[in-house]
């Protein structure tokens, strides 16, 4: 297929997933905000930092309010990672490659773009939650259309590759929110508030029940991290995403006969996740581990572009 | 203003009654409550918007994308009417191809003195490089969209030929699909000839004109200027329906006088390009050097016979409005027959007598730029203000050779759904004629455009026109 089309499809996947993630990130920050004794400021700062777009924020991060941050993350067209920017780019890319998409996939993108403004107007007026739920629904509808209607061939694999690489990156960023959220003075690491924050995090990715199925015990920060980083049965864990990315690259390899840097890098990342356990990760520093992963996944994305001549 | 127009459903004269091909449609309209029709109309609009069947309007920031309004009352053409149109269109397109072959070759028509030489050779649409290139199988205008208007039961006229990159065929197909979805019963009661095979016919035509060295499975593509082009929807629709890649200039490159596209698996050789990019932007090495839309080296690969360009560069001269006025002579010169489909009477302002006539009667005439399109840059005398007429007069006097004038025709009307009920609205018809190695094919029907404003004669989508499904009936008309 055309390299430009492959690139557009890959980025549709990334943008749809990023919109979903940003909605979840705002949700997590709203949850933190509700917890007693947290310093409200740091919730919103941390959400910005985790989004990876803090550098573009046109104002003082330290005094940013809830309204300013939610506007920046959801509605600001100057922020290329905001929900509106992601949905708009996904739809525009969808138009340029609509020949590679099924009607249902394109309709999801087009619908999202058309109904964004009225929904955003309502959300600005009051309750954000219905709006965030809708954004997550767009992601689910798109992925549903993808799985149900797309031929299992290159366009489908590039879309999925975009989705899983973005998802891994987002999971790492979401976990890293905890690093940026400071516990108030006097609060213990592992204490009640710390615990509540971890729980809010888990809830934001709808994984509380999954946790109970896997561990059958009370919520523990390191087990939550274990679930989101190393457990392959957890679909958005770093490990699961790398397994899937590797499989998708293998499919592409089979069709195109091309191998290259992306294949090597994804295998290295996957190996590094299988060889670890969560104690080691905590000992050497969770934040450092996550920052390392985020930069590795960036490199992987560049390697994909190089390998498929984007 | 011209007198009362011929109506496609009701005929011309008071008391004529419903014309036979329309009997079913008329009784359907009579028996369906207005509310229900409006509701279906809304449903159609929702479908079109959902599918993103849009076009961009240049210079209109507020509405980046619009859907073309769709009217649910079909335009019906009987099988006899169609048979004549079909013969006339084939004759005309075959003359156009012969004319293009000739003026880029031996120029017999110029030697015969039938057309002023400078009108061809100094025409902005004349492409000198094409005198050195022979398009495979002698086909120049592979896809021609000829606009027809009607003024009476037996009077069809050709308003213009679109021989460069005619658009609208996606609406022909989508309108039929919408009607099938909205009114399956009504369609079932008629014997409407299908149009769904247009994409297959288009692909077969493209393959038939592949260069000799292309092999048994030629690689065909559709080339678009990109998503910002007003007809981008159509480009992607066509690529999708015929199952080929939709490429932009940047997706292609030329190596060793052959065209390749950039794919995830490396370069792939391209044999036939259905380009929806204008000549000027096709190859910056040959035409406009500042163009970013085209493909440097394309013309070189073309002249080496390694790729076919559909339509051939330089076909634009055949739809130039000044050349149009000579079309009856052109048809006679190459076919030895009279044109089956007449032109609209046309005054060439470049000729002093005609100029005097036109300046005398501006309020009655329609004046057009010879190289204008899309309803831009024209004067519709009867509906223009005195000031507009005077401003136009000055432009004509300043450069008469740029203008032609035609009488204001009483274009036929067709019942059309409006908020207040059914009302007559003016229509035209653009059938699409495909010409490949073995001759021409016309899918029965075409795009019916309708002027949605009461009394307006301008049907262009960029000027607020809409579309209707066009039904060509089998013999007998009804089932």
């Amino acid at each position: 297929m055309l390299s430009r089309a492959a690139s557009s499809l890959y980025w549709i996947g990334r943008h749809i997933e990023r919109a979903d993630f940003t909605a979840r990130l705002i949700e997590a920050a709203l949850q933190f905000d509700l917890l007693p004794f947290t310093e409200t400021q740091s919730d919103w700062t941390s959400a910005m930092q985790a989004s990876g777009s803090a550098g573009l924020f046109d104002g003082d991060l330290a005094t940013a309010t809830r309204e300013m941050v939610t506007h920046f993350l959801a509605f600001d067209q100057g922020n290329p990672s905001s929900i509106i920017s992601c949905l708009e780019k996904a739809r525009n890319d969808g138009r340029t490659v609509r020949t590679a998409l099924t009607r249902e996939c394109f309709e999801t993108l087009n619908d999202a773009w058309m109904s964004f403004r009225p929904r955003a107007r309502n959300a600005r007026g009051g309750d954000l939650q219905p709006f965030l739920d809708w954004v997550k629904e767009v992601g689910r509808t798109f992925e549903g259309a993808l799985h149900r209607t797309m031929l299992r061939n290159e366009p489908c694999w590039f879309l999925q590759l975009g989705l899983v690489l973005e998802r891994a990156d987002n999971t790492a960023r979401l976990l890293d929110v905890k690093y940026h959220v400071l516990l108030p003075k006097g609060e213990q690491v592992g204490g009640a508030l710390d615990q509540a924050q971890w729980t809010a995090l888990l809830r934001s990715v709808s994984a509380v029940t999954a946790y109970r199925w896997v561990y059958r015990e009370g919520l523990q920060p390191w087990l939550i991290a274990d679930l989101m980083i190393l457990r392959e049965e957890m679909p958005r864990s770093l490990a699961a995403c790398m397994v899937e990315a590797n499989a998708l690259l293998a499919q592409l390899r089979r069709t195109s006969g091309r191998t290259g840097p992306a294949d090597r890098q994804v295998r290295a990342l996957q190996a590094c996740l299988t060889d670890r356990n969560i104690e080691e990760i905590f000992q050497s520093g969770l934040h450092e581990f996550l920052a390392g992963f985020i930069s590795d996944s960036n490199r992987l994305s560049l390697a994909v572009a190089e390998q498929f001549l984007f | 203003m011209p007198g009362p127009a011929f109506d496609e459903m009701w005929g011309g004269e008071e008391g004529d009654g419903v014309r036979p091909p329309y009997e079913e449609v008329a009784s359907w309209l009579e028996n369906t409550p207005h509310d229900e029709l409006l509701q279906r109309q809304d449903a159609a609009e929702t479908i079109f918007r959902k599918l993103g069947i849009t076009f961009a309007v240049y210079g209109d920031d507020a509405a980046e994308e619009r859907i073309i309004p769709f009217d649910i009352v079909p335009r019906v053409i009987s099988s006899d009417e169609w048979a004549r149109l079909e013969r006339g269109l084939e004759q005309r397109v075959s003359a156009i191809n012969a004319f293009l072959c000739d003026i880029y070759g031996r120029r017999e028509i110029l030697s015969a003195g039938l057309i002023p030489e400078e009108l061809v050779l100094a025409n902005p649409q004349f492409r000198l490089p094409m005198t050195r290139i022979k398009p495979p199988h002698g086909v120049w205008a592979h896809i021609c969209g000829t606009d027809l208007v009607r003024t009476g039961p037996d009077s069809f006229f050709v308003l213009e030929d679109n021989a460069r990159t005619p658009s609208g065929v996606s609406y022909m197909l989508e309108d039929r699909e919408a009607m099938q979805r909205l009114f399956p019963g009504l369609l079932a009661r008629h014997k409407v000839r299908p149009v769904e095979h247009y994409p297959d016919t288009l692909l077969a035509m493209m393959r038939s004109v592949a260069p000799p060295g292309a092999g048994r499975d030629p690689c065909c593509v559709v080339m678009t200027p990109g998503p910002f082009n007003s007809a981008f929807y159509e480009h992607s629709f066509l690529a999708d329906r015929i199952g080929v890649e939709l490429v932009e200039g940047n997706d292609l490159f030329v190596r060793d006088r052959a065209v390749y596209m950039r794919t995830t698996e490396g370069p792939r050789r391209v044999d036939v390009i259905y380009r929806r990019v204008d000549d000027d932007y096709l190859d910056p090495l040959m035409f406009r050097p500042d163009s970013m839309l085209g493909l440097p080296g394309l013309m070189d690969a073309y002249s080496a016979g390694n790729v076919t360009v559909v339509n051939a560069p330089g076909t634009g001269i055949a739809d130039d409005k000044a050349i149009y006025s000579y079309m009856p002579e052109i048809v006679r010169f190459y076919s030895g027959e009279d044109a089956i489909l007449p032109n609209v009477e046309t005054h060439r302002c470049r000729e002093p007598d005609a100029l005097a006539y036109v300046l005398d009667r501006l309020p009655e005439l329609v004046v057009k730029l010879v190289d204008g399109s899309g309803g831009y840059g024209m004067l519709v005398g009867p509906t223009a203000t005195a000031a507009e007429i005077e401003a136009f007069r000055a432009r004509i006097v300043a450069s008469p050779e740029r203008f032609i004038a035609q009488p204001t025709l009483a274009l036929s009307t067709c019942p059309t759904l409006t908020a207040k009920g059914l009302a007559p609205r003016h229509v035209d018809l653009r059938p699409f004629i495909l010409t490949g190695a073995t001759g021409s094919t016309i899918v029965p029907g075409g795009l019916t455009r309708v002027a949605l404003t009461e009394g307006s004669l301008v049907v262009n989508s960029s000027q607020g026109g809409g579309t209707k499904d066009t039904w060509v009936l089998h013999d007998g008309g009804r089932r």
Side-chain angles (χ1 to χ4, degrees):
Chain A
M1 70 184 304
L2 286 178
S3 294
R4 176 180 51 88
S7 164
S8 293
L9 290 161
Y10 173 78
W11 279 102
I12 290 171
R14 289 205 75 139
H15 281 127
I16 284 291
E17 184 66 21
R18 191 171 297 178
D20 172 274
F21 161 69
T22 308
R24 292 177 188 277
L25 186 66
I26 295 172
E27 248 179 356
L30 287 170
Q31 298 257 357
F32 285 1
D33 212 12
L34 293 177
L35 295 173
F37 318 118
T38 22
E39 293 171 31
T40 307
Q41 214 49 63
S42 90
D43 302 335
W44 294 106
T45 318
S46 68
M48 287 282 249
Q49 259 143 8
S51 77
S53 50
L56 296 165
F57 183 63
D58 190 21
D60 182 6
L61 218 49
T63 59
T65 61
R66 168 187 158 156
E67 282 69 32
M68 289 157 77
V69 173
T70 50
H71 172 80
F72 179 73
L73 292 178
F75 308 119
D76 190 344
Q77 283 181 292
N79 170 9
S81 292
S82 70
I83 295 175
I84 185 172
S85 298
C86 286
L87 293 182
E88 182 160 352
K89 277 189 275 194
R91 190 266 183 173
N92 286 345
D93 268 337
R95 266 188 91 215
T96 70
V97 294
R98 65 178 293 163
T99 53
L101 293 173
T102 57
R103 189 173 262 206
E104 286 177 35
C105 281
F106 177 74
E107 277 182 20
T108 310
L109 300 176
N110 200 39
D111 261 348
W113 178 75
M114 286 191 300
S115 47
F116 187 90
R117 275 168 216 284
R119 284 180 182 276
R121 247 194 315 279
N122 291 341
R124 283 202 193 101
D127 200 359
L128 262 180
Q129 196 55 52
F131 170 78
L132 299 174
D133 287 339
W134 171 75
V135 176
K136 292 190 290 179
E137 192 184 315
V138 168
R140 288 197 302 275
T141 311
F142 181 76
E143 230 180 317
L146 168 72
H147 277 284
R148 283 176 165 232
T149 63
M150 296 272 296
L151 284 177
R152 296 305 187 261
N153 60 7
E154 283 179 294
C156 181
W157 296 326
F158 279 112
L159 271 171
Q160 288 180 319
L161 192 60
L163 283 167
V164 296
L165 290 187
E166 182 71 21
R167 190 168 299 159
D169 181 82
N170 292 340
T171 298
R173 288 174 187 279
L174 200 62
L175 275 176
D176 207 27
V177 175
K178 261 304 281 166
Y179 166 81
H180 294 289
V181 178
L182 303 174
L183 285 170
K185 279 201 184 90
E187 283 287 336
Q188 301 258 310
V189 170
L193 186 57
D194 190 29
Q195 185 103 9
Q197 287 174 343
W198 279 103
T199 310
L201 231 161
L202 196 57
R203 197 171 301 135
S204 76
V205 292
S206 315
V208 177
T209 311
Y211 178 96
R212 302 219 186 269
W213 277 105
V214 175
Y215 300 105
R216 307 212 168 269
E217 58 173 296
L219 297 175
Q220 309 286 348
W222 52 88
L223 290 184
I224 293 175
D226 181 60
L227 183 69
M228 308 249 284
I229 296 172
L230 299 176
R231 285 291 186 148
E232 284 180 25
E233 63 266 52
M234 171 69 189
R236 65 175 311 136
S237 74
L238 305 189
C241 289
M242 287 308 119
V243 169
E244 210 182 327
N246 192 11
L248 289 165
L249 283 166
Q251 296 275 27
L252 288 165
R253 190 160 61 229
R254 220 163 293 148
T255 326
S256 70
R258 287 185 88 85
T259 56
D263 296 289
R264 290 192 292 278
Q265 286 187 33
V266 78
R267 277 198 295 268
L269 266 169
Q270 203 189 335
C272 136
L273 289 164
T274 10
D275 294 348
R276 293 288 178 89
N277 65 45
I278 200 68
E279 285 78 19
E280 284 170 25
I281 290 175
F282 267 88
Q283 262 158 30
S284 58
L286 179 62
H287 170 66
E288 286 69 22
F289 173 82
L290 294 171
F293 181 86
I294 289 168
S295 80
D296 285 345
S297 88
N298 249 329
R299 259 200 301 283
L300 175 55
S301 185
L302 294 173
V304 168
E306 181 188 335
Q307 184 161 330
F308 297 101
L309 314 166
F310 285 5
Chain B
M1 267 317 260
F6 173 80
D7 190 85
E8 299 283 337
M9 185 157 94
W10 296 106
E13 302 295 321
E14 202 66 34
D16 268 6
V18 175
R19 296 179 58 241
Y22 267 95
E23 278 166 12
E24 282 285 347
V25 171
S27 82
W28 166 69
L29 286 171
E30 197 171 323
N31 295 321
T32 314
H34 182 56
D35 281 359
E36 194 180 321
L37 293 176
L38 284 178
Q39 201 191 327
R40 296 294 179 90
Q41 181 100 349
D42 275 357
E45 183 158 320
T46 311
I47 295 171
F48 280 46
R49 194 168 287 285
K50 229 174 138 73
L51 294 179
I53 305 177
T54 55
F55 74 108
V57 179
Y58 294 121
D60 189 350
D61 281 346
E64 183 209 331
E65 286 170 24
R66 289 202 218 145
I67 57 170
I68 293 190
F70 167 66
D71 182 73
I72 58 174
V73 185
R75 187 246 187 96
V76 188
I77 296 173
S78 75
S79 67
D80 291 346
E81 287 166 352
W82 179 254
R84 197 174 128 236
L85 294 183
E86 205 174 19
R87 280 201 313 279
L89 291 167
E90 276 175 16
Q91 180 198 47
R92 191 166 175 107
V93 166
S94 133
I96 286 176
N97 275 302
F99 169 70
L100 288 162
C101 221
D102 186 26
I103 59 166
Y104 289 110
R106 304 159 61 107
R107 297 186 187 154
E108 286 171 358
I109 196 163
L110 301 185
S111 326
L114 257 86
I115 301 181
E117 208 169 77
E118 77 277 8
L119 198 59
V120 171
L121 303 182
N123 194 298
Q125 293 299 321
F126 186 78
R127 304 279 176 234
L128 194 60
M130 291 308 294
T131 56
R132 300 187 297 271
I133 299 173
K134 282 230 167 312
H137 305 280
V139 185
W140 291 72
H142 305 84
I143 302 155
C144 191
T146 293
D147 290 344
L148 300 172
V149 295
R150 182 179 206 179
T151 58
D154 297 313
S155 2
F156 283 92
F157 295 93
V158 175
L159 190 61
E160 62 182 53
D161 301 287
N162 296 280
R164 298 172 219 195
T165 55
S167 61
V169 75
S170 57
Y171 294 97
M172 170 179 92
L173 297 166
E174 294 284 10
D175 286 358
R176 176 63 52 84
E177 242 178 271
M179 289 302 280
Q180 278 166 343
R181 228 194 266 206
L182 294 166
F183 306 107
L186 182 64
L187 263 155
R189 290 202 295 278
H190 290 80
K191 285 190 196 164
V192 179
R193 294 179 62 185
V195 293
E196 287 79 0
H197 53 294
Y198 180 86
D200 290 344
T201 316
L202 174 60
L203 182 61
M205 180 279 284
M206 285 168 69
R207 294 168 67 101
S208 80
V209 292
R216 292 213 341 226
D217 185 18
C219 171
C220 304
V221 299
V222 174
M223 182 180 183
T224 174
F228 297 109
N229 186 270
S230 65
F232 180 76
Y233 171 74
E234 173 152 306
H235 307 162
S236 71
F237 173 92
L238 285 173
D240 193 27
R241 290 294 166 95
I242 63 184
V244 304
E245 295 287 0
L246 177 66
V247 303
E248 295 174 21
N250 285 333
D251 297 322
L252 302 175
F253 66 94
V254 174
R255 194 166 62 201
D256 301 331
R257 310 190 82 190
V259 177
Y260 295 86
M261 60 181 166
R262 300 177 210 274
T263 79
T264 54
E265 295 155 54
R268 171 152 186 224
R269 176 88 179 254
V270 174
D271 302 303
V272 183
I273 301 176
Y274 174 15
R275 49 92 179 207
R276 294 292 298 259
V277 174
D278 288 340
D279 287 0
D280 275 347
Y281 303 97
L282 211 45
D283 180 350
L285 298 182
M286 195 68 96
F287 304 118
R288 282 178 60 151
D290 58 335
S291 164
M292 302 296 291
L293 301 173
L295 169 59
L298 172 60
M299 291 301 288
D300 187 42
Y302 186 37
S303 65
N306 290 333
V307 68
T308 302
V309 178
V310 168
N311 290 349
T315 53
I317 193 161
D319 67 21
D320 179 274
K321 291 188 179 65
I323 301 283
Y324 156 90
S325 65
Y326 292 94
M327 208 47 85
E329 288 90 333
I330 291 175
V331 170
R332 209 169 302 122
F333 186 78
Y334 295 107
S335 71
E337 301 162 2
D338 283 336
I340 298 168
L341 291 169
N343 267 8
V344 177
E345 181 196 355
T346 302
H347 310 282
R348 310 165 188 129
C349 298
R350 64 201 311 280
E351 295 167 4
D353 291 355
L355 177 64
Y357 176 91
V358 168
L359 292 175
D360 233 24
R361 291 175 180 74
L362 273 185
E364 303 157 27
L365 299 172
V366 177
V367 189
K368 298 175 179 171
L369 276 170
V370 292
D371 52 358
S373 68
Y376 292 100
M378 63 190 269
L379 173 79
V380 182
T383 58
T385 64
E388 282 165 352
I389 289 176
E390 288 320 304
F392 226 87
R393 182 188 304 279
R395 292 177 61 193
I396 300 171
V397 172
S399 41
E401 71 289 349
R402 296 184 62 213
F403 296 91
I404 55 149
Q406 294 170 333
T408 321
L409 294 184
L411 301 195
S412 64
T413 56
C414 183
T416 298
L417 190 64
T418 73
K420 293 185 194 137
L422 291 171
R425 291 288 183 267
H426 295 293
V427 291
D428 78 352
L429 175 65
R430 177 179 291 180
F432 296 88
I433 306 102
L434 296 174
T435 307
T438 56
S440 295
T441 353
I442 312 176
V443 167
L447 177 67
T448 291
R449 298 184 298 175
V450 50
L452 292 174
T453 315
E454 190 174 355
S456 168
L457 294 167
V458 185
V459 295
N460 294 85
S461 52
S462 44
Q463 309 284 319
T467 69
K468 284 169 172 291
D469 192 12
T470 311
W471 292 4
V472 173
L473 303 182
H474 267 292
D475 274 339
R478 280 183 293 162
R479 204 163 266 184

